[in-house]
Amino acid sequence: MKKTYSFKNENGTFVCFLDYEEEGDFETFLLFVCERLGVVEPLTTVTPYSLMAEFEYAGSELIASYNSDAGCYLRIPPGSTLPANTLIDQCYGEAGEG
């Protein structure tokens, strides 16, 4: 079963995690990705539109966030050389590739 999907636009590459689709899942999602990526869990910021947290992984500043259309996701900034598949493989292995 597919666990992620990803897409790219002018704002970066977005990796959406299908196991975490609700706003209430965000803290569990953030803990999951931070554990899998081996980074310290950052503080969550509440914005008028979403929850978000910023952290560094493999030389890229990632943003973990929630959006009602995409669920919980990681955003890789434009110009980063970090491939989305690296994040997916680190979190789920090849079974989660999207």
Side-chain angles (χ1 to χ4, degrees):
M1 179 179 201
K2 194 171 182 179
K3 296 197 174 264
T4 64
Y5 71 92
S6 58
F7 63 93
K8 190 174 190 173
N9 65 26
E10 66 277 356
N11 296 316
T13 301
F14 296 80
V15 180
C16 304
F17 289 70
L18 299 174
D19 288 339
Y20 304 97
E21 295 187 308
E22 303 296 325
E23 187 173 22
D25 296 333
F26 183 75
E27 291 302 324
T28 304
F29 162 72
L30 185 59
L31 180 61
F32 168 76
V33 296
C34 288
E35 284 180 352
R36 295 296 180 125
L37 298 177
V39 299
V40 176
E41 185 177 355
L43 294 176
T44 298
T45 301
V46 179
T47 71
Y49 303 105
S50 68
L51 301 170
M52 65 179 283
E54 296 179 64
F55 60 93
E56 187 175 323
Y57 177 74
S60 288
E61 290 293 324
L62 301 181
I63 293 178
S65 192
Y66 167 80
N67 176 286
S68 60
D69 293 331
C72 295
Y73 64 87
L74 291 175
R75 181 182 73 86
I76 304 168
S80 172
T81 59
L82 179 62
N85 284 345
T86 297
L87 294 175
I88 296 166
D89 289 347
Q90 190 69 30
C91 290
Y92 287 119
E94 292 181 22
E97 230 172 273

